[in-house]
C-alpha cells in the first residue's frame, strides 16, 4: 500500500469503514496510537540507536513533546499543547520506555530527570509500581511494571536499590517478591507471577523480571553464542535465593531463566500460548523476550535454539505488529550478537526504519536499506512511500516490552 493512494469506495449496501486516525508527524506505525504511541516510539528509537541509526529529528521531537509538565508520559496526547490534567492517564511503563530512549539519544537530561522524579513519586509502599498509579485506576504492584521501571532507573544513572519507598522498601524488594520460590508446586518454582493476587506462573512477567533483577533495561549487552553460563534452577536444598543483594538477584534471575527454558516446546525452540478456548500457538513475542532474558544472564548458548526459531518464523509476526515488534527482534538480535540486518534473510533495521520517518543517518546501512533509499520521502517527516506494514494490536506478543500486540500491563497475560 502506498501513502496517498485513494481508499476504495464503501459498498453501497454496507457501512462505511471507520475513518483512520490522522497520524502525527514523526510517529512510528500506522495504527491508532491511543494505547501504545509512546511505547512503540520509544522502542523504535532505542532499537535504531542501538544499531547505529540516527533517528529523524521529527521522531525524537514527537516523543519528547508527549511529556506532561510533571514529568510523566501517557500513551498518546493528540494535542501536546494542551496541559495534562487529572484525567490524563499517566503510565509508568510508557514513562519508563521514554526514559530509556531519551537517555540513549542524549540531549534530554532535564526531561529524563523530571520523568525519573515522577516515577519516584508514584512508587508503592512495597517498593514496586503498577502501570497506572493510584487515583487512575491503579492497582497493586506488578512484576512487569516494576521491572521496566528498574530498567529506566538504571538507564538514567540511578541505583535502583537506593530508590526506596517510605518504610525503606526498594524496587528489588518488590520484584523478587513476585517469584514463586521453593514452596511452590513442582514445575512452577523459579517463575514469576504478574501480581501477587491469584499468583500463577507467567512467562511474560518472568522474562521481564529476569532483566529487572539483573538491573538491566531493554538493551542488553551482547552475549555471544558460546557464552555458556549454566542455567541453574533455584537451589531449594539451600533455601532458594535469600536476601536482596546482587548475588541473590543473580540466583533469582537464574531460577527464572531455568523455568523459561523448561517452558519451551519439546524441541526447545519457542514458548506457547493460547487464548481461552483456542489451541496453543507459538508465542513469538515472549520467545523473543526469553532470548533477551537468557542473554542478560550470560546464557548465550541457551538462547541459540529459540533465536534460530525466531530467525525462521518471527518476521511475519513483526510485519503484522509493526515498529515495537521489529524493535523487539532487533534488540533480541543485539543481545545475542546476531546481525539484525541479516536476520533469517530479513533486514530488520530497514523494516523498522520503514515504519516511520526516514532516519537522519545510518552508520551501517545494509544493501537492502540502500536500495530502498531511492523510494523514500526526502523531508524526513510522516510515513514515507516505502512503508511496508500494517500494525495489529491483537496478537499475543512478548518484552518486556510490547504493549503493541499485547497491552501486557493491563491484562497480566
Amino acid at each position: 500500500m502506498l501513502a496517498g493512494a485513494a481508499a476504495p469506495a464503501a459498498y453501497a449496501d454496507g457501512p462505511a469503514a471507520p475513518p483512520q486516525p490522522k497520524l502525527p508527524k514523526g510517529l512510528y506505525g500506522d495504527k491508532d496510537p491511543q494505547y501504545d504511541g509512546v511505547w512503540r516510539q520509544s522502542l523504535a528509537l532505542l532499537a535504531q540507536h542501538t544499531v547505529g541509526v540516527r533517528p529523524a529529528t521529527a521522531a525524537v521531537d514527537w516523543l519528547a513533546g508527549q511529556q506532561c509538565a510533571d514529568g510523566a508520559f501517557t500513551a498518546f496526547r493528540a494535542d501536546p499543547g494542551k496541559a495534562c490534567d487529572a484525567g490524563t492517564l499517566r503510565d509508568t511503563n510508557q514513562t519508563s520506555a521514554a526514559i530509556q530512549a531519551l537517555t540513549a539519544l542524549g540531549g534530554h537530561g532535564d526531561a529524563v530527570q523530571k520523568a525519573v522524579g515522577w516515577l519516584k513519586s508514584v512508587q508503592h509502599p512495597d517498593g514496586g509500581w503498577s502501570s497506572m498509579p493510584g487515583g487512575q485506576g491503579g492497582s497493586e504492584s506488578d512484576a512487569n511494571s516494576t521491572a521496566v521501571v528498574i530498567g529506566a532507573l538504571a538507564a538514567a544513572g540511578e541505583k535502583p536499590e537506593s530508590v526506596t519507598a517510605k518504610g525503606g522498601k526498594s524496587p528489588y524488594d518488590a520484584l523478587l517478591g513476585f517469584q514463586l520460590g521453593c514452596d511452590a508446586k513442582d514445575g512452577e518454582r523459579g517463575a514469576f507471577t504478574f501480581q501477587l493476587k491469584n499468583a500463577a506462573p507467567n512467562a511474560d512477567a518472568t522474562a521481564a523480571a529476569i532483566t529487572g533483577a539483573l538491573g538491566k533495561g531493554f538493551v542488553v549487552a551482547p552475549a555471544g553464542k558460546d557464552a555458556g553460563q549454566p542455567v541453574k534452577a533455584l537451589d531449594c536444598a539451600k533455601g532458594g535465593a535469600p536476601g536482596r543483594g546482587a548475588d541473590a538477584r543473580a540466583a533469582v534471575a537464574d531460577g527464572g531463566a531455568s523455568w523459561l527454558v523448561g517452558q519451551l516446546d519439546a524441541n526447545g525452540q519457542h514458548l506457547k500460548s493460547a487464548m481461552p478456548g483456542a489451541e496453543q500457538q507459538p508465542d513469538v513475542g515472549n520467545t523473543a523476550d526469553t532470548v533477551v532474558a537468557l542473554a542478560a544472564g550470560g546464557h548465550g548458548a541457551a538462547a541459540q535454539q529459540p533465536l534460530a526459531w525466531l530467525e525462521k518464523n518471527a518476521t511475519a509476526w513483526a510485519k503484522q505488529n509493526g515498529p515495537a515488534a521489529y524493535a523487539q527482534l532487533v534488540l533480541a538480535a543485539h543481545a545475542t550478537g546476531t546481525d539484525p540486518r541479516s536476520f533469517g534473510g530479513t533486514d530488520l533495521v530497514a523494516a523498522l526504519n520503514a515504519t516511520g520517518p526516514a532516519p537522519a543517518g545510518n552508520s551501517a546501512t545494509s544493501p537492502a536499506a540502500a536500495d530502498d533509499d531511492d523510494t523514500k520521502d526526502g523531508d524526513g517527516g510522516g510515513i514515507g512511500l516505502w512503508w511496508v506494514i500494517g500494525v495489529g494490536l491483537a496478537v499475543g506478543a512478548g518484552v518486556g516490552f510490547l504493549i503493541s500486540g499485547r497491552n501486557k500491563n493491563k491484562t497480566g497475560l
Side-chain angles (χ1 to χ4, degrees):
M1 183 184 297
L2 297 179
Y11 291 112
D13 59 351
Q20 291 293 312
K22 183 177 180 180
L23 298 177
K25 179 181 179 181
L27 178 65
Y28 280 79
D30 70 327
K31 296 299 182 182
D32 188 345
Q34 180 180 358
Y35 299 109
D36 78 330
V38 165
W39 182 269
R40 77 194 193 205
Q41 190 83 352
S42 299
L43 291 179
L45 298 179
L46 188 59
Q48 286 180 322
H49 176 269
T50 300
V51 296
V53 173
R54 185 157 54 91
T57 299
V60 181
D61 288 348
W62 182 86
L63 177 61
Q66 289 290 299
Q67 189 172 30
C68 297
D70 61 4
F73 284 79
T74 186
F76 176 65
R77 296 171 64 197
D79 181 6
K82 182 181 178 181
C84 300
D85 57 22
T88 302
L89 295 178
R90 295 158 173 82
D91 189 314
T92 63
N93 289 251
Q94 312 273 352
T95 301
S96 296
I99 287 172
Q100 294 190 50
L102 294 175
T103 299
L105 294 168
H108 296 84
D110 290 344
V112 167
Q113 289 308 308
K114 287 181 68 176
V116 168
W118 179 77
L119 287 175
K120 291 179 179 180
S121 75
V122 295
Q123 186 177 19
H124 290 183
D126 65 0
W129 285 265
S130 58
S131 177
M132 298 292 179
Q136 298 188 141
S139 59
E140 65 180 277
S141 298
D142 66 76
N144 296 71
S145 298
T146 302
V148 75
V149 172
I150 288 173
L153 293 173
E158 299 276 347
K159 293 182 178 180
E161 63 270 25
S162 299
V163 178
T164 55
K166 292 181 180 178
K169 295 287 188 179
S170 79
Y172 292 129
D173 289 318
L175 185 65
L176 273 60
F178 293 111
Q179 187 170 49
L180 302 177
C182 293
D183 56 349
K185 299 176 183 177
D186 288 342
E188 295 186 357
R189 293 174 189 144
F192 283 74
T193 184
F194 177 72
Q195 288 181 321
L196 295 180
K197 63 181 180 182
N198 303 319
N202 185 301
D204 188 18
T206 301
I210 289 169
T211 55
L214 295 170
K216 300 181 180 183
F218 297 153
V219 179
V220 171
K225 61 181 64 179
D226 296 325
Q229 290 292 330
V231 179
K232 299 178 181 178
L234 288 179
D235 188 352
C236 292
K238 296 182 179 180
R244 293 292 187 266
D247 289 345
R249 296 197 297 270
V252 162
D254 268 1
S258 176
W259 182 83
L260 279 176
V261 169
Q263 301 309 300
L264 296 171
D265 73 328
N267 296 317
Q269 295 181 326
H270 61 79
L271 295 175
K272 296 178 289 185
S273 67
M275 297 297 289
E279 294 184 3
Q280 286 193 332
Q281 301 290 332
D283 186 336
V284 183
N286 277 326
T287 300
D289 284 349
T290 295
V291 167
V292 174
L294 290 172
H299 310 302
Q304 291 308 302
Q305 278 189 270
L307 174 68
W309 183 87
L310 288 172
E311 289 186 280
K312 292 180 180 179
N313 297 281
T315 53
W317 165 83
K319 185 176 181 179
Q320 180 182 10
N321 284 276
Y326 278 122
Q328 187 177 3
L329 294 180
V330 168
L331 294 175
H334 173 77
T336 54
T338 304
D339 184 2
R341 292 177 170 83
S342 181
F343 192 82
T346 297
D347 185 338
L348 295 175
V349 179
L352 171 61
N353 293 346
T355 67
N362 191 344
S363 65
T365 304
S366 69
D371 290 343
D372 281 334
D373 283 345
D374 293 337
T375 65
K376 296 179 187 176
D377 284 341
D379 62 5
I383 297 177
L385 293 176
W386 61 308
W387 60 278
V388 297
I389 63 174
V391 182
L393 292 178
V395 177
V399 323
F401 328 129
L402 286 184
I403 289 177
S404 175
R406 69 176 168 179
N407 202 355
K408 66 183 179 188
N409 300 297
K410 296 178 178 61
T411 65
L413 297 177

